[in-house]
Amino acid sequence: MDDVADDLAFHEAGLQEVQDTGKKASWRALFNFTTKAHLFPVIAAIALSVISGIVVPALAVFLGKLFDLFTKYGGGSISGHELVHKISRYGLYLVGLGVGVIVLNASYFGFWLLYGELQAKSVRDKLFDGLLEKDLEWFDMRKSGVNTLLSRLQTQTRELQLATSQPLGFTVQYTVTTVAAFGLALYYSWDLTLITLSTVPFAAVILGKLSAGMQPTVNGHLQELTRASKLANSSISSIETVKCYNGQDWEAWQYASAVKNAAIFYLRQARSNALQIGFVRFVTLSMFVQGFWYGTHLVNTGKKTPGAVLTAFWACLMATQTVEQILPQIIVLEKGRAAGATLRATLMRMETGRQVVEMLGRKSPEYCEGDIQIHDLSFRYPARPDHLALDCSSFFFSARETTFIVGRSGSGKSTIGNLLLRFYKPRSGDILVDGNPIQTLDMNWLRNNITLVQQQSVLFNETLFKNIAFGRRDHDRVSREEVKSSMQTAYLQHTVKELPHGLDTVVGFGGSALSGGQKQRVAIARARLRDTPILVIDEGTSALDHISRTIVTDAIRQWRRGKTTIIITHDMSQVKDDDYVYVMDNGRIVQEGFRRALEGVETSAFERLLQPELRFSTYGSMGNGAPRSPSNPFDGSARSPPSPVSPVDEADPMDIRFHPRRLSIPSVFGPGPKDSRQGKALQGPVSPLSPMAFPMHRMSALPTRRKASVFQPLHPHTSPTMPEGKRLSTNFELSGVSTGARRKSDSQGLLTRGSVASSISIASCELTNSSAQEKPQQVMSLKRILYTVWPNLTWRKRMILLCGFACAAVHAAATPMFSWVFAKLLGTFFLPQNERATKALKWSLSVLGVAAVDSTASYFLHYLLEYCGQAWIDTLRVQAMKRVLDQPREWFDLDKNKLTELIECLDRNAEEMRNLLGRFAAFVFVAILMLTMAIIWSLVLCWKLTLVGLACAPAMYAVSQAFETVSGKWEGKSNGAGMVANSIFTETFGNIRTVRALTLERHFHEKYAKATDKCLKVGIKRSVLSGLFFGISDSGIIFITALIFYYGAVVASSGGYSVQDILTVFTMLLFSIANANNLVAFIPQIGSAQDTATRLLRLANLPFHQSHEHAGNVRLPKLGPIEFSGVCFSYPSRPDTSVLKSLKLTVDPHSSTSLVGSSGCGKSTIASLLLGLYPPSSGTIKIASFPINALHLPTLRNLIAVVPQSPTLFAATVAQNIAYGLPERSPMATFRLIQAAAVSAGIDEFIMSLPQGYNTLIGDGGSGLSGGQAQRLAIARAVVRRPELLIMDEATSALDGESARGIYTLVQKLEKVNIGCLVVTHATEMMRTCVECVVLEGGSVVESGRFTDLIGRRHGSLRRLIGG
């Protein structure tokens, strides 16, 4: 088995181990990240929890003594004066115990919160360190995509932190209480205890079986949430493509489907947990049947006193009640256990897999000469193990010289740069730097001596100055003068002057505040500052206009004189006659030599790559646009050479070959019966451009009938992306997901934002309720949050909700009823012996009846409310997703709307929010109802004693309210600090290639360490303050107990009430207050859920259909003339900088027009305005005489297709990527037309070489594509829609000459079938291909006309632009 097979087997084994570990996770997984530094906090927390757990049985001893005194008083053994005196003494003991419990509870609660924070920091640090040590191959092999992996790791970290905080502390405390209470019961009456608890072993077996079945559902829930997170990540990160292709409904439907599947698994957990709670409730109450029968026998025979029997009963009751209190924590602990095991398994796979450290050499030469030799190098990318990216290729890059590498897209050029920086390990062959094998060189030395400038330049969320300064290892010491000097090489000075804060302007995540060309120039300036002996430029100037590219290229040549430089390019104009060139094809070198020698070889690979070039030196001899000889490259009659013959049946892809038999789109999404690649030998494809392909039909007129649904489509009447027959309801059902989904795999991926408008930052859009200037939202009150439940449930679920609360009412009534029956049982001890047995049996059977009713109500209470809670948050999730996708483009650039925060809101925040209804609302409702019934009942029996107990309520409420306020405040601060750390984590590993290339690991490690340190500091303060208030709140019941018993003794001694009534009031008030007091333990979790609910509700309440995108309702049947009249536009982040200034432009939608100009002049902005992504600041845009703000934008976007400069690939099959945005039953979504579009874009041959052809998974987690291949796929996606206007934004920037000629031919053929093209370009051949050429400068049109006319103007703008 070769290295590739080993790596694949290794990866699959790793995935399986992670899944198996989740299924077999032990409770030790909660402590997987405990270090020696954590021992003191965790030992202290456990010790304090043990002591606190022992206190509760101690309280039972006091209660037994107190009840015994009242029993003796009722039996006449002691006087009223003695009763009051002895009760007072025990009351003082209780007060002392209460003071001790305050300190004890405050300490143990604070230590557990601290331990959770330490666990979170430990996980974060280990994950960061572990990921830093992984090579890029490991990241490439993540099937869910890197960003989805990062999001899931962060969610699991939070789940582990929650589980190892107060839930684990309560579990330890309650477990100790159970054991201690059981021991106490044995001490007072071992035989009575054993008989009372005789059903416990049987119950334990049943509980064990129920618990064992919960872990698989936790894992299933986790997997579906990961899928939902991946879908959300995909659609939001590629929002421009989603909008331009009307994909909002499809993305929302996919997300809703994943959420529904996750809900199914969670409800299985909830059902299992509810069964456990109901069963324990029944066992707890019913055990008194046999217990009291035997207790009565012991009292009758004189073997035990009533006090001893009561103490044993209280202890047994406490033991079983604490077990019941553990059960609500089980789901949290199960999730934490699974998270701990999965995180540990992930880290173990990191540690055992190939790491960067294993690839490190130790050699660090004093000087780098720059001589590079490559011998018989072979390499396969992990995502395509069947394809050799390099096949036994040998190169020699001479020191101090510039060498060029050219070749078709996907020929292996960029792979050389990746291997030189040791991003990957070659399969075979050698790379020598100055004679040293590359594997023996120190990694940092290597990367500090080699700089790689890539086509997709990555910038970080820092200032422009910092991004350039990152070029130097000592970036903290770089001066502004050094940065300004490096900017001159990149021709960046003018851009910096236009930025609002100059070099101090924050460029945003991924450099969203800059255009593609500007980002490339920043990367070049960074490389100039770095100034390493070896420089590799991989299409580093492809997004620049000709004059800028020429200036920058000349500056690079001047700078790199006498230094080793490797330039990978498709722009043959950069290659001079004396430059040495390697020509690559299919991973091999097919030609090499000096350009002057290669040009003389006819029909060679080099000749095929050449584009007709402009010889600027000949312009002077040209007349004013006079036609030249046929060889004149500017002759309007001279067209590009035709594309090479298609390998499919040697037919022109534009030829019309109509076949009535069409393959349906479902066959594209699943393997065919014979060939998974859908038939390589296609018999004459139908052209997607053919007017005969769809006679009498246009996409905008396609019938897409759907049933009415509760879910209002994002774009009514023109919502092509949702599968027919599937409707997305906001209030969707949770029970089962439709199995008729026609699209089986997830259409998701990670794409570069700014894919359509690659200029500057995102534009402001006029929202009716604009959120652009929103202040930070305050945490919503519980009342406001819970008010959102009812409107977001269907009537069926509302009825279920009412049933749930009805069961809660029954459960609440059962506790006072049990107290009353229990008091009657206690009263049997005062009866004569001959009546005692009969009464005891009667009231014991009454307890059994109460137990049956209460346990049934308890089961339905917990399950039904969890069901409604899940429905509530899933409705809000889908609503939030729908509204997020509906927001205008500018909304996504606000700091609070960063991708990581949006995904966290939809994922973790929703999960925590569910507890407000599923768990906490039920507890609050039961406690209030229970207290109300107990108080009324107690008032009837003994109003004086009841009022004394109620007098304590204001103080208890004030303390609890203070605890809630403090906990909520610090929970919000803790969540905020965590989000900052998460964003750094995502930025680092989402851009790991650039981080590695610039050796910025230490910088981001320190930045992340500071963020996690802040998280810990905030967590420590939270632990101290929350612990203090918890101690005060939780201990209040002890003081109330002391007061109630004391005053009860006073009332009893006065003779106004019977002992029976007083004991009944005691039991009712104590049981009810104890249940209400249990809520205090949930306050921190309620505070956390409150904060996360506020964040999710912000998204769910975003304005819907209120932006400029929904202002119009005119549906154009076809495009008419496009007119820009006095259009001005400024981006909101730069309101003082006008991108467009009084623009006047007319575009024929059925002809070809090129938009040319320097980078940042507004070309891409025009395309963005035309697609309705932003509204103009002033002026009007008219299409077919209609103002664009009056048009129905989804219909308009059906008529216009866009090919962005940075193509977006979804993590789906090739066919799904091409057909993205088309209705499932659209005639344009047939396999034959999909393939025809691919042939037209020149990508079919490559697709058919993939393992599964058109069914090959690509995008994030799938097969990797080169920049040129991705661009051609994007062209196929646009062409298959058969739009009336095709917008191409630098669509040939990543293509070689041969592929580019195919696109030029495509533009001509599109025009013949009445499909216009609006092309944003810097390529002179594309300008010549288009009928009209529009020159922009400073946001205005300065020239327009035919290319040959404009280039002939001696002082014309176009001629000046391209170097004349």
Side-chain angles (χ1 to χ4, degrees):
M1 185 179 288
D2 61 10
D3 287 344
V4 177
D6 288 340
D7 285 344
L8 285 175
F10 171 81
H11 173 65
E12 295 299 335
L15 286 179
Q16 189 61 43
E17 181 175 323
V18 169
Q19 293 173 359
D20 291 345
T21 304
K23 293 177 183 177
K24 301 174 184 177
S26 69
W27 292 111
R28 287 180 299 177
L30 293 171
F31 302 94
N32 277 343
F33 297 92
T34 303
T35 65
K36 291 182 179 179
H38 304 164
L39 288 179
F40 172 72
V42 71
I43 291 174
I46 292 173
L48 291 167
S49 296
V50 169
I51 298 171
S52 181
I54 294 173
V55 167
V56 179
L59 185 60
V61 174
F62 281 106
L63 292 176
K65 298 288 186 183
L66 293 170
F67 271 105
D68 193 37
L69 288 173
F70 276 95
T71 303
K72 290 180 179 179
Y73 174 72
S77 302
I78 60 174
S79 65
H81 176 72
E82 289 178 300
L83 175 66
V84 174
H85 175 71
K86 291 183 178 181
I87 291 292
S88 300
R89 186 177 63 187
Y90 281 113
L92 291 175
Y93 293 157
L94 282 175
V95 170
L97 181 65
V99 173
V101 168
I102 289 177
V103 177
L104 191 63
N105 284 355
S107 301
Y108 103 80
F109 192 83
F111 272 116
W112 278 115
L113 287 179
L114 174 60
Y115 178 63
E117 294 287 348
L118 291 171
Q119 285 281 85
K121 178 164 175 56
S122 178
V123 174
R124 287 170 176 150
D125 291 346
K126 288 184 178 181
L127 284 175
F128 197 90
D129 293 342
L131 289 172
L132 271 186
E133 292 180 353
K134 299 308 297 177
D135 59 13
L136 284 179
E137 185 169 327
W138 187 90
F139 288 94
D140 289 348
M141 293 300 291
R142 300 310 98 195
K143 289 191 174 180
S144 295
V146 175
N147 276 358
T148 303
L149 169 70
L150 299 177
S151 175
R152 180 47 48 194
L153 290 176
Q154 291 161 5
T155 299
Q156 289 172 340
T157 300
R158 175 64 176 176
E159 288 174 347
L160 180 62
Q161 178 185 356
L162 285 176
T164 53
S165 297
Q166 59 266 32
L168 183 56
F170 295 148
T171 302
V172 172
Q173 179 194 7
Y174 297 151
T175 302
V176 172
T177 298
T178 301
V179 174
F182 181 67
L184 183 65
L186 288 174
Y187 173 77
Y188 275 91
S189 181
W190 66 268
D191 49 353
L192 176 60
T193 301
L194 293 178
I195 289 177
T196 303
L197 301 178
S198 59
T199 56
V200 168
F202 170 72
V205 172
I206 294 178
L207 288 175
K209 287 186 175 296
L210 290 173
S211 181
M214 192 177 292
Q215 193 63 39
T217 64
V218 172
N219 294 332
H221 183 234
L222 176 64
Q223 290 173 6
E224 288 300 327
L225 282 182
T226 300
R227 176 172 170 257
S229 178
K230 182 176 181 179
L231 290 167
N233 202 322
S234 164
S235 55
I236 295 173
S237 64
S238 53
I239 186 63
E240 290 184 0
T241 298
V242 171
K243 283 181 175 290
C244 291
Y245 284 85
N246 290 329
Q248 296 98 318
D249 278 354
W250 169 243
E251 297 295 341
W253 181 86
Q254 283 195 112
Y255 181 76
S257 177
V259 164
K260 185 186 288 188
N261 288 339
I264 292 172
F265 283 105
Y266 181 79
L267 291 178
R268 291 175 186 169
Q269 298 174 43
R271 188 182 302 117
S272 178
N273 191 247
L275 278 171
Q276 290 178 325
I277 292 173
F279 181 72
V280 169
R281 188 73 178 169
F282 178 78
V283 171
T284 300
L285 300 182
S286 63
M287 69 182 184
F288 287 99
V289 175
Q290 69 266 26
F292 259 94
W293 168 80
Y294 189 68
T296 303
H297 169 72
L298 293 177
V299 173
N300 289 340
T301 58
K303 293 181 179 179
K304 296 290 182 182
T305 64
V309 171
L310 288 175
T311 301
F313 271 129
W314 276 113
C316 289
L317 184 61
M318 283 186 177
T320 53
Q321 279 188 331
T322 49
V323 170
E324 191 176 357
Q325 288 174 329
I326 291 173
L327 294 178
Q329 313 294 340
I330 289 296
I331 289 183
V332 179
L333 293 175
E334 287 281 3
K335 284 188 174 183
R337 177 169 70 155
T342 305
L343 289 169
R344 178 60 179 270
T346 303
L347 283 169
M348 287 178 65
R349 300 311 304 176
M350 290 182 192
E351 292 169 2
T352 55
R354 186 161 70 229
Q355 303 175 9
V356 171
V357 68
E358 293 181 8
M359 299 171 64
L360 290 178
R362 293 290 180 263
K363 194 171 183 179
S364 299
E366 292 184 8
Y367 181 72
C368 179
E369 186 74 18
D371 200 74
I372 301 174
Q373 300 175 60
I374 299 176
H375 299 294
D376 296 330
L377 195 66
S378 294
F379 175 73
R380 305 173 192 262
Y381 281 101
R384 291 194 63 195
D386 60 320
H387 173 72
L388 277 171
L390 288 178
D391 186 5
C392 294
S393 300
S394 297
F395 302 83
F396 176 70
F397 302 106
S398 181
R400 304 187 187 90
E401 293 186 7
T402 297
T403 307
F404 284 82
I405 303 176
V406 299
R408 295 193 303 170
S409 301
S411 60
K413 306 183 299 297
S414 299
T415 303
I416 297 168
N418 290 333
L419 295 178
L420 280 176
L421 284 173
R422 289 180 61 190
F423 288 155
Y424 303 95
K425 182 181 178 182
R427 300 305 185 216
S428 62
D430 299 304
I431 303 176
L432 305 178
V433 177
D434 293 344
N436 300 301
I438 197 170
Q439 64 270 19
T440 66
L441 295 172
D442 178 77
M443 186 75 78
N444 285 329
W445 181 91
L446 184 72
R447 291 177 180 169
N448 283 318
N449 282 280
I450 301 178
T451 298
L452 174 64
V453 178
Q454 295 177 300
Q455 180 179 7
Q456 301 299 330
S457 304
V458 173
L459 303 184
F460 299 101
N461 188 31
E462 304 275 0
T463 63
L464 182 62
F465 172 84
K466 193 72 173 178
N467 270 283
I468 297 175
F470 278 149
R472 281 250 297 269
R473 191 167 189 179
D474 57 342
H475 50 81
D476 291 331
R477 299 179 182 177
V478 174
S479 66
R480 297 182 79 86
E481 288 70 26
E482 290 174 303
V483 168
K484 289 179 180 179
S485 177
S486 68
M487 284 163 43
Q488 294 177 0
T489 301
Y491 196 49
L492 196 60
Q493 310 93 305
H494 181 68
T495 298
V496 173
K497 288 179 182 178
E498 291 183 342
L499 295 176
H501 304 292
L503 281 172
D504 296 321
T505 302
V506 177
V507 301
F509 283 91
S512 59
L514 302 177
S515 71
Q518 290 165 342
K519 284 190 285 186
Q520 281 190 340
R521 281 185 279 173
V522 172
I524 292 170
R526 186 164 61 195
R528 177 65 183 91
L529 182 66
R530 195 172 182 82
D531 197 18
T532 53
I534 300 171
L535 173 67
V536 181
I537 301 180
D538 186 358
E539 295 288 356
T541 59
S542 61
L544 302 183
D545 59 88
H546 187 84
I547 191 167
S548 297
R549 187 186 308 130
T550 302
I551 292 172
V552 171
T553 302
D554 289 345
I556 290 174
R557 281 185 178 272
Q558 181 68 25
W559 155 42
R560 299 301 299 177
R561 186 171 298 167
K563 298 177 182 178
T564 306
T565 307
I566 303 171
I567 299 179
I568 300 168
T569 185
H570 292 129
D571 182 12
M572 305 305 291
S573 66
Q574 296 184 31
V575 187
K576 296 185 177 180
D577 288 346
D578 294 332
D579 288 329
Y580 199 85
V581 182
Y582 285 100
V583 184
M584 298 191 66
D585 193 18
N586 293 324
R588 291 177 173 269
I589 298 173
V590 294
Q591 268 187 297
E592 63 175 293
F594 294 100
R595 171 168 180 163
R596 60 175 178 271
L598 298 178
E599 280 187 314
V601 182
E602 294 185 4
T603 68
S604 66
F606 184 78
E607 279 291 318
R608 288 197 299 272
L609 294 173
L610 288 174
Q611 301 182 29
E613 296 179 41
L614 300 177
R615 308 292 183 182
F616 305 126
S617 59
T618 64
Y619 291 169
S621 62
M622 293 171 58
N624 294 327
R628 300 187 60 185
S629 64
S631 62
N632 179 5
F634 305 117
D635 187 348
S637 63
R639 289 292 185 178
S640 304
S643 299
V645 177
S646 169
V648 182
D649 202 29
E650 298 186 351
D652 188 326
M654 297 302 165
D655 284 346
I656 301 167
R657 300 193 181 188
F658 183 80
H659 295 270
R661 182 178 178 273
R662 292 193 181 113
L663 298 176
S664 64
I665 196 67
S667 65
V668 176
F669 299 149
K674 295 182 181 179
D675 190 341
S676 64
R677 292 174 292 180
Q678 289 292 346
K680 279 195 170 185
L682 180 66
Q683 299 292 325
V686 176
S687 169
L689 312 177
S690 166
M692 292 178 61
F694 312 107
M696 306 301 294
H697 288 288
R698 293 292 306 173
M699 181 175 175
S700 59
L702 289 174
T704 54
R705 295 180 183 177
R706 294 183 180 85
K707 298 176 183 178
S709 75
V710 180
F711 181 92
Q712 186 71 18
L714 293 176
H715 303 301
H717 311 295
T718 316
S719 180
T721 53
M722 189 178 298
E724 185 176 354
K726 292 179 175 58
R727 61 183 187 273
L728 176 60
S729 169
T730 305
N731 300 311
F732 54 84
E733 295 295 323
L734 290 173
S735 54
V737 184
S738 171
T739 57
R742 298 184 177 91
R743 301 200 177 195
K744 296 191 289 185
S745 46
D746 312 337
S747 295
Q748 69 268 346
L750 291 169
L751 288 78
T752 306
R753 287 172 62 178
S755 56
V756 176
S758 56
S759 61
I760 329 176
S761 67
I762 306 310
S764 174
C765 301
E766 297 172 2
L767 287 168
T768 304
N769 297 324
S770 178
S771 58
Q773 303 297 328
E774 284 185 27
K775 298 179 180 178
Q777 188 171 1
Q778 298 297 319
V779 176
M780 295 174 66
S781 67
L782 277 174
K783 182 179 179 182
R784 285 187 61 197
I785 293 171
L786 292 176
Y787 270 177
T788 66
V789 174
W790 188 262
N792 286 292
L793 297 179
T794 61
W795 276 106
R796 175 176 173 271
K797 293 186 178 67
R798 289 174 183 176
M799 295 303 103
I800 293 174
L801 180 66
L802 293 178
C803 289
F805 277 105
C807 291
V810 173
H811 176 63
T815 299
M817 178 61 69
F818 174 77
S819 301
W820 180 70
V821 174
F822 186 67
K824 293 295 184 180
L825 277 172
L826 295 180
T828 59
F829 291 119
F830 312 139
L831 298 175
Q833 186 172 346
N834 60 339
E835 298 180 21
R836 189 177 298 161
T838 304
K839 294 291 185 181
L841 178 60
K842 172 187 174 183
W843 296 116
S844 293
L845 292 175
S846 299
V847 166
L848 188 62
V850 172
V853 173
D854 192 18
S855 60
T856 303
S858 185
Y859 164 75
F860 284 108
L861 150 68
H862 287 91
Y863 178 67
L864 295 181
L865 291 186
E866 286 279 18
Y867 179 92
C868 292
Q870 186 68 44
W872 173 46
I873 63 122
D874 284 347
T875 300
L876 290 176
R877 267 176 166 153
V878 175
Q879 182 80 355
M881 183 67 174
K882 183 177 66 169
R883 289 173 181 262
V884 164
L885 294 176
D886 184 63
Q887 297 309 297
R889 185 60 182 86
E890 62 128 0
W891 182 86
F892 294 89
D893 263 6
L894 299 177
D895 284 341
K896 63 182 177 182
N897 300 327
K898 291 181 291 190
L899 177 63
T900 52
E901 295 194 14
L902 294 177
I903 300 304
E904 190 168 5
C905 280
L906 293 169
D907 187 6
R908 177 179 70 82
N909 290 359
E911 289 297 296
E912 292 189 28
M913 180 182 180
R914 177 187 52 233
N915 293 333
L916 289 176
L917 178 61
R919 293 171 62 194
F920 308 139
F923 291 146
V924 172
F925 178 77
V926 168
I928 292 174
L929 204 58
M930 194 181 294
L931 272 174
T932 302
M933 288 187 287
I935 288 169
I936 294 172
W937 203 330
S938 298
L939 284 171
V940 173
L941 294 176
C942 182
W943 65 270
K944 290 183 179 180
L945 181 57
T946 306
L947 289 179
V948 169
L950 290 176
C952 304
M956 287 292 294
Y957 176 79
V959 172
S960 299
Q961 195 66 28
F963 181 30
E964 181 183 349
T965 302
V966 170
S967 179
K969 174 184 175 182
W970 285 95
E971 193 68 43
K973 288 186 176 182
S974 182
N975 285 339
M979 282 190 171
V980 172
N982 290 345
S983 65
I984 298 171
F985 185 80
T986 302
E987 184 177 35
T988 302
F989 296 108
N991 302 309
I992 187 62
R993 190 182 300 267
T994 304
V995 171
R996 291 265 167 81
L998 297 174
T999 62
L1000 291 173
E1001 292 93 337
R1002 177 177 294 179
H1003 166 76
F1004 280 101
H1005 191 281
E1006 292 174 353
K1007 186 176 181 180
Y1008 188 68
K1010 289 179 182 177
T1012 55
D1013 286 344
K1014 183 177 179 181
C1015 288
L1016 182 59
K1017 289 177 182 177
V1018 172
I1020 291 172
K1021 292 179 181 178
R1022 168 176 164 253
S1023 302
V1024 172
L1025 293 172
S1026 296
L1028 175 63
F1029 281 91
F1030 171 77
I1032 297 172
S1033 301
D1034 194 57
S1035 308
I1037 189 172
I1038 299 178
F1039 299 102
I1040 295 175
T1041 301
L1043 177 62
I1044 289 176
F1045 271 101
Y1046 169 75
Y1047 191 70
V1050 172
V1051 172
S1053 63
S1054 66
Y1057 296 92
S1058 68
V1059 173
Q1060 178 69 42
D1061 290 341
I1062 291 175
L1063 288 177
T1064 302
V1065 172
F1066 281 161
T1067 53
M1068 284 187 179
L1069 290 180
L1070 290 179
F1071 268 103
S1072 302
I1073 293 173
N1075 275 283
N1077 194 61
N1078 288 336
L1079 288 176
V1080 172
F1082 290 111
I1083 285 178
Q1085 295 179 56
I1086 292 174
S1088 177
Q1090 211 173 331
D1091 179 69
T1092 54
T1094 301
R1095 298 172 191 267
L1096 179 60
L1097 286 171
R1098 178 182 76 86
L1099 300 183
N1101 291 322
L1102 287 170
F1104 188 55
H1105 284 186
Q1106 295 183 20
S1107 71
H1108 75 281
E1109 294 186 2
H1110 303 282
N1113 54 19
V1114 176
R1115 290 174 168 80
L1116 290 177
K1118 62 180 181 178
L1119 292 179
I1122 300 170
E1123 301 176 14
F1124 290 77
S1125 302
V1127 173
C1128 297
F1129 181 74
S1130 300
Y1131 288 97
S1133 59
R1134 299 170 56 195
D1136 299 330
T1137 303
S1138 295
V1139 180
L1140 298 179
K1141 301 175 183 177
S1142 301
L1143 178 72
K1144 296 188 69 178
L1145 174 66
T1146 301
V1147 177
D1148 182 356
H1150 303 298
S1151 181
S1152 54
T1153 304
S1154 62
L1155 296 178
V1156 301
S1158 59
S1159 299
C1161 68
K1163 305 184 298 296
S1164 297
T1165 301
I1166 291 174
S1168 300
L1169 294 178
L1170 185 56
L1171 285 162
L1173 291 175
Y1174 321 107
S1177 302
S1178 63
T1180 59
I1181 302 174
K1182 291 185 177 181
I1183 302 177
S1185 301
F1186 289 97
I1188 194 170
N1189 58 4
L1191 297 179
H1192 185 247
L1193 286 184
T1195 302
L1196 178 65
R1197 290 168 181 169
N1198 281 339
L1199 300 174
I1200 302 175
V1202 63
V1203 180
Q1205 182 177 359
S1206 301
T1208 55
L1209 294 182
F1210 296 90
T1213 65
V1214 173
Q1216 286 172 323
N1217 267 279
I1218 294 176
Y1220 182 80
L1222 292 176
E1224 189 176 15
R1225 296 185 181 277
S1226 167
M1228 283 176 269
T1230 63
F1231 172 70
R1232 189 172 295 277
L1233 290 181
I1234 288 173
Q1235 186 174 31
V1239 171
S1240 302
I1243 192 69
D1244 176 70
E1245 184 179 355
F1246 165 74
I1247 295 173
M1248 299 306 287
S1249 71
L1250 294 173
Q1252 293 179 296
Y1254 282 78
N1255 287 320
T1256 303
L1257 184 68
I1258 59 174
D1260 199 10
S1263 224
L1265 303 184
S1266 70
Q1269 291 162 348
Q1271 235 172 15
R1272 282 180 284 168
L1273 196 74
I1275 292 171
R1277 177 190 295 158
V1279 169
V1280 77
R1281 300 166 67 86
R1282 199 176 188 275
E1284 291 199 6
L1285 178 65
L1286 177 64
I1287 298 177
M1288 292 194 285
D1289 189 352
E1290 293 292 352
T1292 61
S1293 61
L1295 300 183
D1296 57 88
E1298 185 178 358
S1299 300
R1301 282 195 295 272
I1303 303 305
Y1304 304 151
T1305 304
L1306 174 64
V1307 172
Q1308 297 169 8
K1309 290 182 178 289
L1310 287 170
E1311 192 174 346
K1312 290 179 182 179
V1313 293
N1314 209 32
I1315 297 178
C1317 290
L1318 181 63
V1319 185
V1320 176
T1321 185
H1322 294 307
T1324 53
E1325 180 61 18
M1326 179 63 86
M1327 301 176 198
R1328 190 162 66 90
T1329 300
C1330 294
V1331 174
E1332 183 84 2
C1333 182
V1334 177
V1335 184
L1336 294 170
E1337 193 173 296
S1340 300
V1341 176
V1342 292
E1343 254 184 0
S1344 63
R1346 295 184 67 86
F1347 176 81
T1348 50
D1349 296 336
L1350 298 182
I1351 201 66
R1353 297 178 184 176
R1354 187 175 299 276
H1355 301 292
S1357 297
L1358 179 62
R1359 184 162 181 166
R1360 184 174 64 253
L1361 179 70
I1362 60 177

